[in-house]
Amino acid sequence: MAPRSGGPTVTDPVYLSSPDIGELEESYLLRAIRSGRFDPDGPELGAFEREMAARVEVGYALGLSSGTAALHMALLAVGAGPDSVVVVPTLTFAATANAVTYTGAEPVFVDCDASTGNLDVDLLSDLLGQLADSGRRVAAVLAVDINGRCADYDRLLPLCAAIGVPVVEDAAQALGSTYRGRCAGTLGRVGIYSFSHNKVMTTSAGGMLISDDAALVARARHLATQAREPVPHYEHRDIGYNYRLSTLLAALGRAQLSRLDTMVARRRALRDRYARLFATVPGTRILGADDPGSNCWLTSVVVEPERTGWHPGELAAHLAGRGVESRPMWKPMHRQPVYEDRQVALTGAADHLFATSLSLPSGSALTDDQVERVFAAIAEFLEGRQ
């Protein structure tokens, strides 16, 4: 992130969402190391799973090596496979679609709601009808809670229940969010979280599968543990995976979970400040800003260049010149070379958000000085465009 010519010297880059790690995490990790229990059956992983299940008020939790592994296990557990399709929002990270492909199922993409970035339920309804007419088996609808805002489950769940299709909730970004009083990740039949380095809470890498379905979680646990049968010798009747979360990282997760509310509050305060700033700039809005239950994982500003007179890429370049990281929304999956030949239902909303949105520094680890630098840099840019 080098300064542009003529800009200030950057000695302290500001990142989009850095890990928020401190002395508490160090103490938990040191305790786990000194315990000498590094096996998956050690006390830290089991405790982390119980604490997470209690935190989000769900029956069962399964710690896994990544959010992608959790998605893979969730999809296998609901029956995704070579003879099926899974409906996936086109506006998402590649891991969502890749997990479908790992199972042998085919991802079918659907566009998003322009105001929230979440799956367009009206379009989904039409698409499910088309898939039914064509005789294709829909193993699941994979809903993604974009930037921590939950999808429209009031409409999505009855729609899928009416035709017997399970909803898998990709809440990788949404731990700490709520939807009508329920925790994100618990709305569908099975949900997942990610603990990668830039999420609301992190274990550096890792993820978790959650559900009230005991049999489903037991099946996922079996597959994620090399599918070893419960006999004294090594016996396997399924192809399994080495997907369990490290017990050391589970210890880190326990410390992070105890600080989750504080970290979410910090991100929400940043979102509020961005919202106040851009409310004074005609032609801009904060994506999905009207949801008080969001954990505000990332704050993304949507820019209409024909009204502002500037493009989000120009703001990104200005921020980069001052050592501030920003990032466009995801390039839609139907535009990715690896998936461009797959079936898709479009309105153009995802393409528009990709072209007009920019995610801004949103992490709870940002210092007060870094926050002031970010807002000063944005103010400088806006003043230069008046």
Side-chain angles (χ1 to χ4, degrees):
M1 203 181 299
R4 68 180 182 182
S5 178
T9 300
V10 176
T11 57
D12 178 22
V14 178
Y15 297 110
L16 207 61
S17 183
S18 297
D20 188 349
I21 301 293
E23 293 180 357
L24 183 68
E25 285 77 7
E26 291 177 8
S27 68
Y28 273 61
L29 196 51
L30 186 60
R31 182 186 66 191
I33 291 171
R34 288 175 174 170
S35 75
R37 292 291 307 276
F38 296 167
D39 57 290
D41 295 326
E44 295 292 347
L45 182 51
F48 185 33
E49 290 171 342
R50 290 190 295 274
E51 289 164 7
M52 180 63 75
R55 175 64 173 76
V56 300
E57 299 179 328
V58 72
Y60 308 95
L62 176 65
L64 296 164
S65 57
S66 68
T68 310
L71 275 174
H72 187 191
M73 293 297 93
L75 289 165
L76 286 178
V78 299
D83 62 341
S84 66
V85 301
V86 175
V87 180
V88 179
T90 190
L91 189 69
T92 187
F93 182 53
T96 316
N98 290 346
V100 175
T101 304
Y102 298 162
T103 70
E106 178 184 339
V108 173
F109 298 110
V110 63
D111 216 322
C112 67
D113 180 289
S115 64
T116 66
N118 284 324
L119 182 150
D120 183 331
V121 180
D122 289 329
L123 204 55
L124 173 67
S125 179
D126 295 340
L127 177 60
L128 290 174
Q130 293 168 19
L131 291 169
D133 291 343
S134 65
R136 307 189 75 181
R137 183 174 75 86
V138 181
V141 169
L142 218 171
V144 181
D145 300 329
I146 294 289
N147 281 3
R149 177 184 175 126
C150 287
D152 184 358
Y153 292 103
D154 277 354
R155 300 176 62 214
L156 178 59
L157 295 178
L159 172 67
C160 292
I163 56 173
V165 172
V167 173
V168 175
E169 184 180 358
D170 182 347
Q173 308 158 21
L175 179 59
S177 298
T178 59
Y179 181 85
R180 302 199 186 287
R182 292 181 60 185
C183 293
T186 68
L187 283 306
R189 182 176 173 194
V190 54
I192 71 97
Y193 302 122
S194 168
F195 307 135
S196 69
H197 68 284
N198 65 355
K199 294 302 188 292
V200 170
M201 63 167 268
T202 183
T203 57
S204 74
M208 193 160 282
L209 178 152
I210 57 167
S211 179
D212 281 320
D213 187 330
L216 183 151
V217 176
R219 176 64 177 166
R221 187 181 298 273
H222 175 68
L223 293 175
T225 322
Q226 300 283 25
R228 183 183 175 187
E229 296 296 324
V231 294
H233 58 278
Y234 288 104
E235 182 156 321
H236 307 271
R237 301 180 182 182
D238 296 296
I239 299 297
Y241 304 86
N242 185 14
Y243 275 175
R244 288 289 271 153
L245 182 67
S246 152
T247 191
L248 296 184
L249 299 189
L252 188 58
R254 294 181 69 191
Q256 287 271 280
L257 185 59
S258 74
R259 298 178 51 230
L260 176 61
D261 290 337
T262 301
M263 292 190 289
V264 169
R266 176 74 168 163
R267 288 178 187 263
R268 284 174 174 163
L270 276 170
R271 165 74 61 85
D272 288 345
R273 185 165 173 181
Y274 281 125
R276 290 195 299 273
L277 170 63
F278 284 105
T280 67
V281 183
T284 67
R285 66 182 175 91
I286 300 298
L287 183 66
D290 59 341
D291 178 14
S294 173
N295 66 4
C296 302
W297 172 57
L298 287 185
T299 292
S300 302
V301 60
V302 183
V303 178
E304 302 297 340
E306 64 276 12
R307 295 184 61 197
T308 60
W310 50 271
H311 191 275
E314 296 175 75
L315 174 58
H318 177 86
L319 294 176
R322 281 138 187 84
V324 176
E325 184 182 27
S326 62
R327 188 175 64 202
M329 290 290 288
W330 297 288
K331 182 179 180 180
M333 288 297 103
H334 71 274
R335 297 291 183 192
Q336 301 289 350
V338 71
Y339 288 123
E340 62 186 3
D341 61 343
R342 302 306 174 97
Q343 184 176 348
V344 61
L346 293 176
T347 63
D351 285 332
H352 186 69
L353 286 177
F354 172 56
T356 60
S357 298
L358 188 70
S359 296
L360 301 167
S362 307
S364 57
L366 289 172
T367 67
D368 290 344
D369 286 346
Q370 288 175 324
V371 171
E372 295 310 318
R373 277 182 53 199
V374 171
F375 279 86
I378 295 173
E380 180 187 32
F381 174 82
L382 294 174
E383 288 168 6
R385 296 302 185 276
Q386 289 181 346

